[in-house]
Amino acid sequence: MTDILGNDLNMQYSLLLPEILLGVTAFLVVFADLFSKELKIGYRLLPLITVAGLVAALAASLIWADTTSDFAMLVTVDSFTTFFRVLFCIVAIVLVIGAHEYIEAHVNHPGEFFALLLLSTAGASFMAGAQDLLTAYLAVEVLSFSLYIAVSLGRNDPRSGEAALKYVLLGGVASAFLLYGLSFIYGVAGSTQYADISAALGGDLSDVRGSLVLGLVLIVAGLGFKASAVPFHMWTPDAYEGAPIPVTAYLSATSKAATFALLLRWFSGPLLPAIDEWQWMIAVLATATMVLGNLVALQQRNIKRLLAYSSIAQVGFMLMALVGISQITAGGLLAHLGGYLITNLAVFVAVIHFYNRTGKEEITDFKGLAQTNPYLALVMTAGLFSLAGMPLLVGFFTKFILFQTVVEADFLWLVVVAVVASTVSLYYYLQVIKQMYLYQPDGDATRWRLTPTGYLSTGALLAAVVVLGLWGTPLYEVADKAAAALFPVA
Amino acid sequence: MFDRLPLPSQFDRTIISGGTVLALGATPVLVVLAALLVVDRISAPEFVFFLAASVLLAGAAGVVLMKNIVHAALCLVVTLLGVAAIYLLLLTEFLALVQVLVYGGGVVILLLFGLMMTNAQDDPVVTDGSQKPFAFGVAALIAGVFIALVLDAHWGSPEASIVPFRDFGARLFRDFSLPVVIVAVLLDIAFTGAFVNARRAEADSAARGEARS
């Protein structure tokens, strides 16, 4: 089929099968929830349908693991897209399995919550796949809108509504910045297609240089907000603290990874010719984020706020890879994203189960967890050590690769800052571990066990953290292949 | 006793004061633009553009500055109609039509109904305004930079052409069918959000009831 401009369009809808499956499942979940009385189904069916849909979408994304194709010049389906589709599906599956008890007890409207989770996963994978500015922007909005609402779903918790309001107001401003920046890029390049923008920015730009820089500043600010990079991180601690814990985990995993997918697509493709204009911006952001994220994390008392600042600090490490962008650093960044997501989820799922049992979330509440539930304390410890980058765990392996690739890209000074910041981070992660192992439990000291799905999710994550830490080659190979799709051999 | 005096009612006073401000603001703009047109400094389309732009800016300022929230909503209508005029200048009649029908008509009516039903209060007095001067300074600075950079750029002279409705439809619903679907999903999500937050208190109290029983 040809479009009205005469270009060939590939309207093969099966390329979008994963996203279609996610959308259909979302509506199934909402309808199952709506007619639960008539159909005599309980809450338990909702997470089951959700997981089934996610597994189907994961399987469907593997069909195109080795192809490179596009849908109507709007969405690219290649190894990079597949990498993120699989990653996002895994995150959502783990979260649903690990948190369904929490969602039943502490989240309003669980049916809508699962639907939003599915739709935002679809939005996130469109962010990774889009090859047109308009589609990419709409995908960003699908993800953001879902998250604004998901943050507000905490039951009987006034912090939840407050967090949602802060998030939606600041998020709206950031989206406006992003869109205004995109309009400048469109004005300069005369197209919304990545390939055309790349060609246009490679030409003579002396006439419109100011507008190009303004557009880039606005884009970096908008996406910096979405990735919570300093100084656009102000919303992060409040939103993380007020949101239901699975939503916090989702914010720090899928939302962040999707933003980096978009940043990688844009800065390795359409905006690469203008690297001189944006490289310093990202370098400044990366440095500020690493330093401030780690230093402010030292003062936190609430585990969710601590993890919020820890995730900000991690964003700083990841931004380094964008500064010296090449196929090698992109591969390092993708590997680190994978390792970070697994590790972060391990910590968050452990916190969710701790909250299910105790209803508390201050760091001092973790006193004596090694006595009351040694297994959960082990999962938390492995996760926190992996976040800090201790050897033999996946966090060390991927961080090492990331730092090494940035050194190879001749940004040694950034890595020096990163290593110092990373050492500082060990202190606040150890604070939590100290509470669990060195103190006696306050009050109730009886042993307790997780639910079977709790053991399943934390066990799988713990195994992944340890096994990928000892033998990370598969993760690195997959990441390398995905990065290769970003830099096609001309 | 005051009822018998021939003083204008609140409604009349609003109309009189609003009309006076409008006339005072609009007259110099019209005079300057007409003079420029007569001495051939600007062409007729430019005359229309500047007129539409000033209406648009005045409306936008009104939305922000009006204390009465219904007046602010009515200023929004003016702004949206100004945008429709800009669309007409760009020869995209379809967008202008949609702008008037959907935004100028539907959306603002919906907004007014929403205000009516939710019993919205007028703009409350903001007490935490210590950052106001700073915020104003930053806003002015950013606006200055934006204006300077946009004026500085040489955008070339793209040719505007009338796109037939048929091609427009084909472009929108065939070539860009996927973004249209994504927009549909986005609206659905927003609707879900409005629904769950409207019923938030209900869900909270239901949960508390369950916990008690």
Side-chain angles (χ1 to χ4, degrees):
Chain A
M1 187 186 280
T2 53
D3 69 4
I4 60 167
L5 303 177
N7 299 312
D8 275 327
L9 285 191
N10 175 15
M11 301 291 260
Q12 192 190 345
Y13 279 95
S14 57
L15 284 169
L16 305 177
L17 193 60
E19 285 81 14
I20 294 172
L21 283 171
L22 290 171
V24 170
T25 317
F27 285 96
L28 277 182
V29 173
V30 171
F31 275 92
D33 187 35
L34 180 63
F35 295 110
S36 55
K37 287 209 182 76
E38 287 80 355
L39 300 172
K40 296 199 169 51
I41 49 177
Y43 163 79
R44 282 297 149 93
L45 193 66
L46 303 181
L48 268 180
I49 300 175
T50 312
V51 170
L54 284 163
V55 170
L58 198 157
S61 19
L62 290 175
I63 298 175
W64 290 277
D66 291 314
T67 50
T68 301
S69 185
D70 72 307
F71 178 83
M73 297 169 71
L74 297 170
V75 176
T76 317
V77 177
D78 54 13
S79 304
F80 184 81
T81 313
T82 308
F83 178 86
F84 277 102
R85 278 175 169 173
V86 171
L87 203 62
F88 296 147
C89 284
I90 291 176
V91 170
I93 292 171
V94 170
L95 265 183
V96 173
I97 295 178
H100 68 91
E101 301 101 343
Y102 179 98
I103 294 164
E104 184 178 16
H106 303 292
V107 173
N108 282 333
H109 306 287
E112 282 78 6
F113 175 83
F114 287 121
L116 289 173
L117 191 71
L118 289 159
L119 290 177
S120 56
T121 304
S125 51
F126 276 133
M127 278 167 78
Q131 60 166 13
D132 177 274
L133 290 182
L134 195 66
T135 314
Y137 176 75
L138 288 173
V140 172
E141 285 300 272
V142 166
L143 179 65
S144 309
F145 270 52
S146 310
L147 290 173
Y148 300 149
I149 299 160
V151 167
S152 76
L153 286 176
R155 182 176 287 174
N156 287 329
D157 189 352
R159 287 181 310 172
S160 170
E162 184 193 329
L165 195 61
K166 281 180 187 164
Y167 187 27
V168 79
L169 288 177
L170 293 174
V173 174
S175 292
F177 271 17
L178 180 61
L179 194 55
Y180 201 36
L182 294 182
S183 74
F184 277 106
I185 298 296
Y186 173 74
V188 171
S191 171
T192 56
Q193 287 282 324
Y194 291 180
D196 297 346
I197 296 172
S198 175
L201 294 193
D204 178 32
L205 291 172
S206 48
D207 277 355
V208 287
R209 190 172 167 276
S211 303
L212 175 66
V213 173
L214 183 60
L216 288 170
V217 168
L218 290 169
I219 288 178
V220 168
L223 287 182
F225 172 89
K226 304 279 178 202
S228 55
V230 175
F232 313 108
H233 67 290
M234 294 300 184
W235 61 279
T236 314
D238 288 333
Y240 275 37
E241 190 188 352
I245 309 177
V247 179
T248 313
Y250 194 78
L251 273 171
S252 72
T254 296
S255 166
K256 212 147 272 188
T259 311
F260 272 95
L262 197 61
L263 282 166
L264 274 174
R265 273 264 188 233
W266 284 359
F267 288 132
S268 72
L271 303 180
L272 188 61
I275 187 166
D276 294 336
E277 318 285 353
W278 55 259
Q279 198 171 32
W280 61 271
M281 299 180 207
I282 305 278
V284 170
L285 278 194
T287 318
T289 311
M290 284 187 286
V291 172
L292 201 103
N294 278 306
L295 290 184
V296 183
L298 293 175
Q299 310 161 358
Q300 300 308 314
R301 298 276 168 274
N302 179 298
I303 186 84
K304 279 150 101 183
R305 286 185 90 86
L306 176 84
L307 290 171
Y309 279 105
S310 131
S311 81
I312 292 174
Q314 297 280 347
V315 166
F317 301 144
M318 295 179 206
L319 282 173
M320 285 194 314
L322 288 176
V323 178
I325 186 135
S326 69
Q327 188 180 330
I328 298 166
T329 50
L333 173 55
L334 291 175
H336 186 58
L337 262 179
Y340 162 74
L341 253 56
I342 294 168
T343 310
N344 210 32
L345 279 181
V347 177
F348 268 111
V349 173
V351 172
I352 288 169
H353 281 281
F354 179 78
Y355 187 87
N356 281 346
R357 164 80 184 184
T358 61
K360 292 175 182 165
E361 50 181 51
E362 297 297 306
I363 293 172
T364 46
D365 295 329
F366 282 82
K367 266 181 194 161
L369 186 65
Q371 285 182 29
T372 53
N373 193 334
Y375 169 72
L376 201 62
L378 177 72
V379 175
M380 283 281 288
T381 309
L384 291 171
F385 271 139
S386 176
L387 279 177
M390 293 289 268
L392 299 184
L393 299 168
V394 66
F396 170 76
F397 167 70
T398 58
K399 210 183 243 182
F400 183 78
I401 290 182
L402 179 70
F403 286 7
Q404 192 198 5
T405 56
V406 178
V407 170
E408 278 175 27
D410 279 339
F411 283 95
L412 186 63
W413 63 273
L414 270 174
V415 177
V416 172
V417 177
V419 170
V420 173
S422 194
T423 318
V424 172
S425 77
L426 192 59
Y427 176 79
Y428 56 81
Y429 292 128
L430 274 173
Q431 286 291 321
V432 184
I433 295 167
K434 185 177 91 178
Q435 296 285 342
M436 292 191 295
Y437 282 93
L438 294 187
Y439 292 102
Q440 296 297 318
D442 280 341
D444 188 14
T446 48
R447 284 215 167 197
W448 54 282
R449 301 172 69 81
L450 301 181
T451 53
T453 48
Y455 278 115
L456 179 68
S457 49
T458 49
L461 288 166
L462 182 64
V465 168
V466 174
V467 171
L468 287 176
L470 295 172
W471 188 56
T473 323
L475 176 63
Y476 183 68
E477 277 177 353
V478 173
D480 198 43
K481 214 169 111 187
L486 282 180
F487 296 88
V489 185
Chain B
M1 173 191 156
F2 284 107
D3 293 345
R4 300 202 186 146
L5 290 172
L7 285 171
S9 69
Q10 174 65 39
F11 181 68
D12 292 336
R13 249 181 283 166
T14 309
I15 290 182
I16 291 168
S17 56
T20 317
V21 170
L22 213 64
L24 284 177
T27 315
V29 174
L30 261 177
V31 168
V32 169
L33 283 179
L36 284 173
L37 184 65
V38 169
V39 299
D40 253 2
R41 288 296 298 275
I42 54 173
S43 61
E46 279 175 323
F47 174 77
V48 179
F49 170 77
F50 285 116
L51 202 62
S54 24
V55 168
L56 206 161
L57 284 178
V63 173
V64 184
L65 296 176
M66 286 287 176
K67 290 270 183 244
N68 184 320
I69 198 159
V70 176
H71 293 170
L74 292 176
C75 284
L76 190 61
V77 181
V78 176
T79 317
L80 295 172
L81 293 181
V83 175
I86 303 268
Y87 281 145
L88 269 184
L89 277 175
L90 292 171
L91 300 182
T92 49
E93 327 121 307
F94 181 73
L95 283 185
L97 203 68
V98 169
Q99 178 77 15
V100 172
L101 285 178
V102 175
Y103 285 90
V107 170
V108 174
I109 299 289
L110 210 62
L111 191 69
L112 287 171
F113 265 105
L115 291 178
M116 198 168 80
M117 292 185 172
T118 52
N119 216 348
Q121 299 296 311
D122 284 355
D123 200 8
V125 180
V126 181
T127 47
D128 56 348
S130 62
Q131 293 183 338
K132 244 185 188 171
F134 179 67
F136 184 80
V138 171
L141 187 74
I142 291 179
V145 170
F146 276 30
I147 293 169
L149 284 174
V150 172
L151 289 181
D152 177 57
H154 305 276
W155 297 105
S157 48
E159 288 292 311
S161 59
I162 299 176
V163 181
F165 275 25
R166 195 189 155 82
D167 284 0
F168 189 85
R171 191 85 177 133
L172 188 61
F173 290 112
R174 193 187 63 204
D175 302 353
F176 281 87
S177 55
L178 180 67
V180 170
V181 173
I182 299 181
V183 169
V185 172
L186 188 61
L187 291 177
D188 189 72
I189 293 172
F191 188 69
T192 310
F195 165 76
V196 296
N197 274 300
R199 301 190 57 175
R200 185 182 168 80
E202 204 177 305
D204 277 354
S205 57
R208 248 175 263 136
E210 266 170 37
R212 225 177 288 130
S213 58

